[in-house]
Amino acid sequence: MPSNIPAVGFGLWKVPNDVCAETVYQAIKTGYRHIDSASDYGNEKETGEGIRRAIEDGLCTREELWVTTKLWNTYHNQENVVPALEYSLNELQLDYVDLFLIHFPIAQEFVPFETRYPAAWFFDPEAENPEVKLAPVPLSETWAGMEATVEKGLTKKIGICNYTSGLLHDLMNYSKIKPSVLQIESHPYLTQERLIRLAKHYNLEVTAFSPLGALSYLELDMAGAQESVLEQAAVKAAAERVGRTPAQVVLRWGVQRGTSIIPKTSKPERMIENLSLFDFELSEEEMNAISALNSNRRFNDPGHFCEEAFNTFYPIYD
């Protein structure tokens, strides 16, 4: 098992089920050794098929892969955490994952696996006015369940997604098994420098999702094409100097600032491009110019999308 999370991973959010197994297989064939999955993505089974075929074909061993999956909001009760990971492992056809993350600091009412999997956001999608049904579960209780998954050998490491500084301070005070990774949205429009600095102070690795910013959200109407960071002058100038694409420059910025990144693509040429970040370097001036694009623009914000898409107001960021 890699001792540290590989710097460039392959993200599986929004990868369609009918192409997911082949996409995962091709990603591993291209050289990816970090696979970022989640119950909520609805493609764990296909992800597992791609991993299994890659291992059977000798592209890698299980020990050479870093596989992440995530605890969905409906499984926050302590007694549901271990069964949730066991269900994910069955879908993934794995004995363990390398990292298990709390997906959101949001507790929803339990939805039995046999009722619906993945459980998604609505408690009852068939209701006349479906909504998110929240549950009064403290995060400390959820974390105790996460610790049990380590003790049972179901995961090597545990961590959190979408936590704020205050939640991270609190977690470090009550956790017996400390988190290893914090996964957050971060890109040049949302640099999150203080939160990343705090995580590293606590010896957490940081993974940035949506490292290209708006590109992940155009198809969901959660961003406009004019918000593409790839069109920014600072990015284009750096790309011209180093002879790389603007996307490679933005991804290199993410890696060079000390975060791992999980870009997603189904195109073989982009898979290669997104991995090819380690034979060039951005100057300090270029890094600073790209960081200066920060406008605290968050694309993945439950405070917006829960109300707009799921009829429930539930902000987690101030």
Side-chain angles (χ1 to χ4, degrees):
M1 185 190 82
S3 58
N4 292 311
I5 192 164
V8 182
F10 194 82
L12 290 165
W13 180 44
K14 299 187 289 128
V15 175
N17 294 72
D18 59 345
V19 300
C20 184
E22 179 63 21
T23 299
V24 169
Y25 181 87
Q26 291 300 329
I28 294 172
K29 187 175 182 179
T30 301
Y32 289 86
R33 294 295 180 264
H34 170 187
I35 305 296
D36 185 83
S37 181
S39 165
D40 186 54
Y41 301 165
N43 53 21
E44 284 179 310
K45 185 175 181 180
E46 293 79 8
T47 298
E49 290 170 2
I51 290 172
R52 177 183 53 78
R53 187 156 67 93
I55 292 172
E56 287 177 352
D57 287 357
L59 300 183
C60 66
T61 64
R62 170 65 187 94
E63 292 71 30
E64 290 171 332
L65 285 178
W66 178 293
V67 181
T68 296
T69 197
K70 306 178 186 78
L71 178 79
W72 186 238
N73 307 341
T74 50
Y75 311 129
H76 272 225
N77 278 305
Q78 184 174 343
E79 65 270 20
N80 293 329
V81 177
V82 166
L85 181 50
E86 289 174 334
Y87 200 97
S88 285
L89 290 172
N90 185 61
E91 294 282 285
L92 291 164
Q93 302 179 52
L94 297 175
D95 296 325
Y96 69 92
V97 289
D98 300 272
L99 177 64
F100 191 39
L101 299 170
I102 294 177
H103 204 148
F104 283 99
I106 299 172
Q108 296 176 225
E109 280 292 333
F110 177 64
V111 175
F113 304 108
E114 60 273 17
T115 299
R116 190 172 66 252
Y117 189 90
W121 288 90
F122 285 133
F123 180 71
D124 180 6
E126 305 303 319
E128 185 175 345
N129 295 299
E131 61 183 1
V132 177
K133 190 172 182 181
L134 300 168
V137 182
L139 286 168
S140 56
E141 179 179 322
T142 306
W143 192 254
M146 297 291 286
E147 291 173 330
T149 66
V150 178
E151 292 162 355
K152 290 179 177 292
L154 303 176
T155 183
K156 302 293 184 182
K157 298 173 185 289
I158 49 178
I160 63 270
C161 300
N162 301 301
Y163 267 44
T164 59
S165 297
L167 290 179
L168 183 54
H169 284 305
D170 197 39
L171 172 58
M172 298 306 293
N173 286 335
Y174 62 70
S175 55
K176 292 180 288 187
I177 299 176
K178 302 301 179 186
S180 295
V181 176
L182 168 67
Q183 186 177 124
I184 52 171
E185 178 183 347
S186 191
H187 42 74
Y189 290 156
L190 184 68
T191 55
Q192 302 231 59
E193 289 169 6
R194 288 193 300 183
L195 180 54
I196 291 172
R197 179 180 173 186
L198 177 65
K200 291 185 178 297
H201 168 75
Y202 281 131
N203 296 314
L204 275 73
E205 301 264 10
V206 177
T207 297
F209 70 79
S210 304
L212 293 173
L215 291 185
S216 296
Y217 300 94
L218 294 176
E219 65 198 80
L220 302 175
D221 293 325
M222 293 168 68
Q226 74 281 0
E227 294 185 278
S228 174
V229 70
L230 306 185
E231 299 301 320
Q232 290 286 350
V235 172
K236 286 185 169 182
E240 185 174 352
R241 184 188 71 81
V242 298
R244 298 303 176 102
T245 66
Q248 285 176 305
V249 164
V250 173
L251 295 177
R252 174 66 201 185
W253 171 86
V255 168
Q256 198 167 315
R257 69 200 291 251
T259 65
S260 57
I261 56 173
I262 43 174
K264 171 229 131 180
T265 183
S266 58
K267 298 177 180 177
E269 65 274 15
R270 288 282 171 78
M271 289 184 187
I272 296 169
E273 179 182 319
N274 291 349
L275 264 185
S276 303
L277 308 176
F278 301 99
D279 57 352
F280 72 98
E281 191 170 324
L282 301 176
S283 69
E284 183 178 354
E285 291 77 13
E286 288 165 339
M287 290 290 293
N288 290 340
I290 295 170
S291 296
L293 298 172
N294 180 58
S295 59
N296 297 320
R297 171 64 165 106
R298 189 184 302 276
F299 295 101
N300 196 323
D301 188 345
H304 294 308
F305 71 72
C306 277
E307 187 167 30
E308 293 173 358
F310 304 117
N311 306 318
T312 306
F313 177 58
Y314 200 81
I316 62 173
Y317 309 113
D318 294 331

PDB file of all heavy atoms in Angstrom, residues 203-228:
ATOM      1  N   ASN A 203      -1.104  17.501  10.648  1.00  0.00           N
ATOM      2  CA  ASN A 203      -0.501  16.353   9.939  1.00  0.00           C
ATOM      3  C   ASN A 203      -1.490  15.590   9.072  1.00  0.00           C
ATOM      4  O   ASN A 203      -1.375  14.372   8.899  1.00  0.00           O
ATOM      5  CB  ASN A 203       0.174  15.391  10.932  1.00  0.00           C
ATOM      6  CG  ASN A 203       1.335  16.040  11.654  1.00  0.00           C
ATOM      7  OD1 ASN A 203       2.164  16.707  11.029  1.00  0.00           O
ATOM      8  ND2 ASN A 203       1.390  15.879  12.970  1.00  0.00           N
ATOM      9  N   LEU A 204      -2.464  16.288   8.538  1.00  0.00           N
ATOM     10  CA  LEU A 204      -3.382  15.692   7.579  1.00  0.00           C
ATOM     11  C   LEU A 204      -2.890  15.966   6.157  1.00  0.00           C
ATOM     12  O   LEU A 204      -2.398  17.064   5.861  1.00  0.00           O
ATOM     13  CB  LEU A 204      -4.793  16.272   7.703  1.00  0.00           C
ATOM     14  CG  LEU A 204      -5.726  15.653   8.733  1.00  0.00           C
ATOM     15  CD1 LEU A 204      -5.316  16.046  10.141  1.00  0.00           C
ATOM     16  CD2 LEU A 204      -7.166  16.104   8.467  1.00  0.00           C
ATOM     17  N   GLU A 205      -3.035  14.967   5.292  1.00  0.00           N
ATOM     18  CA  GLU A 205      -2.901  15.197   3.861  1.00  0.00           C
ATOM     19  C   GLU A 205      -4.162  15.919   3.398  1.00  0.00           C
ATOM     20  O   GLU A 205      -5.242  15.736   3.976  1.00  0.00           O
ATOM     21  CB  GLU A 205      -2.783  13.868   3.108  1.00  0.00           C
ATOM     22  CG  GLU A 205      -1.605  13.014   3.543  1.00  0.00           C
ATOM     23  CD  GLU A 205      -0.396  13.205   2.658  1.00  0.00           C
ATOM     24  OE1 GLU A 205      -0.413  14.132   1.818  1.00  0.00           O
ATOM     25  OE2 GLU A 205       0.568  12.446   2.817  1.00  0.00           O
ATOM     26  N   VAL A 206      -4.041  16.730   2.346  1.00  0.00           N
ATOM     27  CA  VAL A 206      -5.205  17.429   1.802  1.00  0.00           C
ATOM     28  C   VAL A 206      -5.393  17.019   0.346  1.00  0.00           C
ATOM     29  O   VAL A 206      -4.449  17.047  -0.445  1.00  0.00           O
ATOM     30  CB  VAL A 206      -5.039  18.959   1.890  1.00  0.00           C
ATOM     31  CG1 VAL A 206      -6.239  19.665   1.245  1.00  0.00           C
ATOM     32  CG2 VAL A 206      -4.893  19.401   3.342  1.00  0.00           C
ATOM     33  N   THR A 207      -6.613  16.606   0.022  1.00  0.00           N
ATOM     34  CA  THR A 207      -6.980  16.299  -1.358  1.00  0.00           C
ATOM     35  C   THR A 207      -7.947  17.365  -1.850  1.00  0.00           C
ATOM     36  O   THR A 207      -8.933  17.667  -1.174  1.00  0.00           O
ATOM     37  CB  THR A 207      -7.641  14.917  -1.467  1.00  0.00           C
ATOM     38  OG1 THR A 207      -6.711  13.911  -1.083  1.00  0.00           O
ATOM     39  CG2 THR A 207      -8.100  14.639  -2.898  1.00  0.00           C
ATOM     40  N   ALA A 208      -7.664  17.921  -3.008  1.00  0.00           N
ATOM     41  CA  ALA A 208      -8.526  18.939  -3.605  1.00  0.00           C
ATOM     42  C   ALA A 208      -9.425  18.298  -4.651  1.00  0.00           C
ATOM     43  O   ALA A 208      -8.936  17.726  -5.628  1.00  0.00           O
ATOM     44  CB  ALA A 208      -7.679  20.034  -4.247  1.00  0.00           C
ATOM     45  N   PHE A 209     -10.752  18.371  -4.421  1.00  0.00           N
ATOM     46  CA  PHE A 209     -11.646  17.931  -5.487  1.00  0.00           C
ATOM     47  C   PHE A 209     -12.043  19.129  -6.345  1.00  0.00           C
ATOM     48  O   PHE A 209     -11.879  20.276  -5.941  1.00  0.00           O
ATOM     49  CB  PHE A 209     -12.860  17.159  -4.949  1.00  0.00           C
ATOM     50  CG  PHE A 209     -13.891  17.954  -4.180  1.00  0.00           C
ATOM     51  CD1 PHE A 209     -14.831  18.742  -4.831  1.00  0.00           C
ATOM     52  CD2 PHE A 209     -13.964  17.863  -2.792  1.00  0.00           C
ATOM     53  CE1 PHE A 209     -15.805  19.436  -4.123  1.00  0.00           C
ATOM     54  CE2 PHE A 209     -14.941  18.549  -2.066  1.00  0.00           C
ATOM     55  CZ  PHE A 209     -15.862  19.341  -2.747  1.00  0.00           C
ATOM     56  N   SER A 210     -12.527  18.845  -7.539  1.00  0.00           N
ATOM     57  CA  SER A 210     -12.825  19.883  -8.530  1.00  0.00           C
ATOM     58  C   SER A 210     -11.619  20.796  -8.748  1.00  0.00           C
ATOM     59  O   SER A 210     -11.746  22.025  -8.692  1.00  0.00           O
ATOM     60  CB  SER A 210     -14.054  20.705  -8.118  1.00  0.00           C
ATOM     61  OG  SER A 210     -15.171  19.869  -7.919  1.00  0.00           O
ATOM     62  N   PRO A 211     -10.431  20.229  -8.993  1.00  0.00           N
ATOM     63  CA  PRO A 211      -9.220  21.062  -9.081  1.00  0.00           C
ATOM     64  C   PRO A 211      -9.209  22.008 -10.275  1.00  0.00           C
ATOM     65  O   PRO A 211      -8.418  22.954 -10.297  1.00  0.00           O
ATOM     66  CB  PRO A 211      -8.096  20.027  -9.187  1.00  0.00           C
ATOM     67  CG  PRO A 211      -8.739  18.825  -9.793  1.00  0.00           C
ATOM     68  CD  PRO A 211     -10.127  18.794  -9.212  1.00  0.00           C
ATOM     69  N   LEU A 212     -10.099  21.774 -11.257  1.00  0.00           N
ATOM     70  CA  LEU A 212     -10.208  22.687 -12.398  1.00  0.00           C
ATOM     71  C   LEU A 212     -11.388  23.644 -12.248  1.00  0.00           C
ATOM     72  O   LEU A 212     -11.730  24.374 -13.181  1.00  0.00           O
ATOM     73  CB  LEU A 212     -10.330  21.894 -13.702  1.00  0.00           C
ATOM     74  CG  LEU A 212      -9.080  21.092 -14.095  1.00  0.00           C
ATOM     75  CD1 LEU A 212      -9.367  20.209 -15.293  1.00  0.00           C
ATOM     76  CD2 LEU A 212      -7.898  22.001 -14.379  1.00  0.00           C
ATOM     77  N   GLY A 213     -12.008  23.639 -11.075  1.00  0.00           N
ATOM     78  CA  GLY A 213     -13.053  24.625 -10.792  1.00  0.00           C
ATOM     79  C   GLY A 213     -14.326  24.405 -11.581  1.00  0.00           C
ATOM     80  O   GLY A 213     -14.930  23.331 -11.541  1.00  0.00           O
ATOM     81  N   ALA A 214     -14.739  25.412 -12.324  1.00  0.00           N
ATOM     82  CA  ALA A 214     -16.055  25.431 -12.962  1.00  0.00           C
ATOM     83  C   ALA A 214     -16.297  24.275 -13.916  1.00  0.00           C
ATOM     84  O   ALA A 214     -17.450  23.886 -14.141  1.00  0.00           O
ATOM     85  CB  ALA A 214     -16.237  26.758 -13.712  1.00  0.00           C
ATOM     86  N   LEU A 215     -15.252  23.700 -14.480  1.00  0.00           N
ATOM     87  CA  LEU A 215     -15.431  22.653 -15.491  1.00  0.00           C
ATOM     88  C   LEU A 215     -16.247  21.472 -14.972  1.00  0.00           C
ATOM     89  O   LEU A 215     -16.958  20.817 -15.734  1.00  0.00           O
ATOM     90  CB  LEU A 215     -14.071  22.148 -15.989  1.00  0.00           C
ATOM     91  CG  LEU A 215     -13.240  23.126 -16.820  1.00  0.00           C
ATOM     92  CD1 LEU A 215     -11.992  22.450 -17.347  1.00  0.00           C
ATOM     93  CD2 LEU A 215     -14.058  23.684 -17.983  1.00  0.00           C
ATOM     94  N   SER A 216     -16.164  21.186 -13.675  1.00  0.00           N
ATOM     95  CA  SER A 216     -16.907  20.063 -13.101  1.00  0.00           C
ATOM     96  C   SER A 216     -18.397  20.356 -12.971  1.00  0.00           C
ATOM     97  O   SER A 216     -19.190  19.447 -12.755  1.00  0.00           O
ATOM     98  CB  SER A 216     -16.347  19.720 -11.704  1.00  0.00           C
ATOM     99  OG  SER A 216     -15.017  19.281 -11.789  1.00  0.00           O
ATOM    100  N   TYR A 217     -18.797  21.614 -13.107  1.00  0.00           N
ATOM    101  CA  TYR A 217     -20.157  22.005 -12.737  1.00  0.00           C
ATOM    102  C   TYR A 217     -20.979  22.571 -13.891  1.00  0.00           C
ATOM    103  O   TYR A 217     -22.157  22.861 -13.729  1.00  0.00           O
ATOM    104  CB  TYR A 217     -20.090  23.020 -11.591  1.00  0.00           C
ATOM    105  CG  TYR A 217     -19.413  22.427 -10.379  1.00  0.00           C
ATOM    106  CD1 TYR A 217     -18.048  22.598 -10.164  1.00  0.00           C
ATOM    107  CD2 TYR A 217     -20.120  21.625  -9.488  1.00  0.00           C
ATOM    108  CE1 TYR A 217     -17.415  22.007  -9.088  1.00  0.00           C
ATOM    109  CE2 TYR A 217     -19.495  21.034  -8.406  1.00  0.00           C
ATOM    110  CZ  TYR A 217     -18.144  21.220  -8.209  1.00  0.00           C
ATOM    111  OH  TYR A 217     -17.511  20.629  -7.139  1.00  0.00           O
ATOM    112  N   LEU A 218     -20.360  22.703 -15.076  1.00  0.00           N
ATOM    113  CA  LEU A 218     -21.083  23.273 -16.211  1.00  0.00           C
ATOM    114  C   LEU A 218     -22.306  22.445 -16.563  1.00  0.00           C
ATOM    115  O   LEU A 218     -23.398  22.985 -16.774  1.00  0.00           O
ATOM    116  CB  LEU A 218     -20.148  23.378 -17.429  1.00  0.00           C
ATOM    117  CG  LEU A 218     -18.980  24.354 -17.298  1.00  0.00           C
ATOM    118  CD1 LEU A 218     -18.090  24.277 -18.537  1.00  0.00           C
ATOM    119  CD2 LEU A 218     -19.484  25.774 -17.110  1.00  0.00           C
ATOM    120  N   GLU A 219     -22.148  21.101 -16.610  1.00  0.00           N
ATOM    121  CA  GLU A 219     -23.248  20.236 -17.030  1.00  0.00           C
ATOM    122  C   GLU A 219     -24.373  20.197 -16.012  1.00  0.00           C
ATOM    123  O   GLU A 219     -25.484  19.773 -16.317  1.00  0.00           O
ATOM    124  CB  GLU A 219     -22.729  18.819 -17.292  1.00  0.00           C
ATOM    125  CG  GLU A 219     -22.199  18.118 -16.065  1.00  0.00           C
ATOM    126  CD  GLU A 219     -21.300  16.931 -16.425  1.00  0.00           C
ATOM    127  OE1 GLU A 219     -20.124  17.148 -16.740  1.00  0.00           O
ATOM    128  OE2 GLU A 219     -21.805  15.796 -16.365  1.00  0.00           O
ATOM    129  N   LEU A 220     -24.091  20.635 -14.776  1.00  0.00           N
ATOM    130  CA  LEU A 220     -25.105  20.656 -13.723  1.00  0.00           C
ATOM    131  C   LEU A 220     -25.751  22.031 -13.580  1.00  0.00           C
ATOM    132  O   LEU A 220     -26.562  22.249 -12.678  1.00  0.00           O
ATOM    133  CB  LEU A 220     -24.471  20.252 -12.378  1.00  0.00           C
ATOM    134  CG  LEU A 220     -23.799  18.879 -12.329  1.00  0.00           C
ATOM    135  CD1 LEU A 220     -23.115  18.677 -10.988  1.00  0.00           C
ATOM    136  CD2 LEU A 220     -24.816  17.773 -12.580  1.00  0.00           C
ATOM    137  N   ASP A 221     -25.357  22.969 -14.458  1.00  0.00           N
ATOM    138  CA  ASP A 221     -25.835  24.352 -14.378  1.00  0.00           C
ATOM    139  C   ASP A 221     -25.503  24.993 -13.036  1.00  0.00           C
ATOM    140  O   ASP A 221     -26.248  25.837 -12.529  1.00  0.00           O
ATOM    141  CB  ASP A 221     -27.350  24.430 -14.632  1.00  0.00           C
ATOM    142  CG  ASP A 221     -27.712  24.054 -16.062  1.00  0.00           C
ATOM    143  OD1 ASP A 221     -26.917  24.370 -16.968  1.00  0.00           O
ATOM    144  OD2 ASP A 221     -28.774  23.444 -16.265  1.00  0.00           O
ATOM    145  N   MET A 222     -24.374  24.570 -12.452  1.00  0.00           N
ATOM    146  CA  MET A 222     -23.921  25.143 -11.188  1.00  0.00           C
ATOM    147  C   MET A 222     -22.764  26.107 -11.413  1.00  0.00           C
ATOM    148  O   MET A 222     -22.178  26.626 -10.470  1.00  0.00           O
ATOM    149  CB  MET A 222     -23.504  24.025 -10.222  1.00  0.00           C
ATOM    150  CG  MET A 222     -24.673  23.159  -9.763  1.00  0.00           C
ATOM    151  SD  MET A 222     -24.166  21.632  -8.918  1.00  0.00           S
ATOM    152  CE  MET A 222     -23.440  22.264  -7.398  1.00  0.00           C
ATOM    153  N   ALA A 223     -22.411  26.335 -12.679  1.00  0.00           N
ATOM    154  CA  ALA A 223     -21.355  27.278 -13.039  1.00  0.00           C
ATOM    155  C   ALA A 223     -21.594  27.722 -14.468  1.00  0.00           C
ATOM    156  O   ALA A 223     -22.254  27.034 -15.254  1.00  0.00           O
ATOM    157  CB  ALA A 223     -19.986  26.624 -12.911  1.00  0.00           C
ATOM    158  N   GLY A 224     -21.050  28.872 -14.801  1.00  0.00           N
ATOM    159  CA  GLY A 224     -21.153  29.381 -16.167  1.00  0.00           C
ATOM    160  C   GLY A 224     -19.838  29.207 -16.911  1.00  0.00           C
ATOM    161  O   GLY A 224     -18.760  29.198 -16.300  1.00  0.00           O
ATOM    162  N   ALA A 225     -19.903  29.086 -18.235  1.00  0.00           N
ATOM    163  CA  ALA A 225     -18.698  28.891 -19.046  1.00  0.00           C
ATOM    164  C   ALA A 225     -17.721  30.039 -18.871  1.00  0.00           C
ATOM    165  O   ALA A 225     -16.498  29.857 -18.976  1.00  0.00           O
ATOM    166  CB  ALA A 225     -19.091  28.728 -20.511  1.00  0.00           C
ATOM    167  N   GLN A 226     -18.238  31.229 -18.581  1.00  0.00           N
ATOM    168  CA  GLN A 226     -17.375  32.398 -18.415  1.00  0.00           C
ATOM    169  C   GLN A 226     -16.529  32.310 -17.143  1.00  0.00           C
ATOM    170  O   GLN A 226     -15.597  33.107 -16.958  1.00  0.00           O
ATOM    171  CB  GLN A 226     -18.210  33.681 -18.405  1.00  0.00           C
ATOM    172  CG  GLN A 226     -19.002  33.937 -17.127  1.00  0.00           C
ATOM    173  CD  GLN A 226     -20.297  33.126 -17.037  1.00  0.00           C
ATOM    174  OE1 GLN A 226     -20.605  32.353 -17.937  1.00  0.00           O
ATOM    175  NE2 GLN A 226     -21.043  33.309 -15.960  1.00  0.00           N
ATOM    176  N   GLU A 227     -16.835  31.332 -16.279  1.00  0.00           N
ATOM    177  CA  GLU A 227     -16.090  31.196 -15.030  1.00  0.00           C
ATOM    178  C   GLU A 227     -14.881  30.272 -15.155  1.00  0.00           C
ATOM    179  O   GLU A 227     -14.225  29.972 -14.164  1.00  0.00           O
ATOM    180  CB  GLU A 227     -17.013  30.653 -13.933  1.00  0.00           C
ATOM    181  CG  GLU A 227     -18.124  31.608 -13.548  1.00  0.00           C
ATOM    182  CD  GLU A 227     -18.957  31.098 -12.389  1.00  0.00           C
ATOM    183  OE1 GLU A 227     -19.868  30.283 -12.624  1.00  0.00           O
ATOM    184  OE2 GLU A 227     -18.691  31.511 -11.236  1.00  0.00           O
ATOM    185  N   SER A 228     -14.575  29.820 -16.345  1.00  0.00           N
ATOM    186  CA  SER A 228     -13.461  28.900 -16.517  1.00  0.00           C
ATOM    187  C   SER A 228     -12.130  29.560 -16.156  1.00  0.00           C
ATOM    188  O   SER A 228     -11.749  30.583 -16.716  1.00  0.00           O
ATOM    189  CB  SER A 228     -13.388  28.405 -17.960  1.00  0.00           C
ATOM    190  OG  SER A 228     -12.225  27.615 -18.143  1.00  0.00           O
TER     191      SER A 228
END
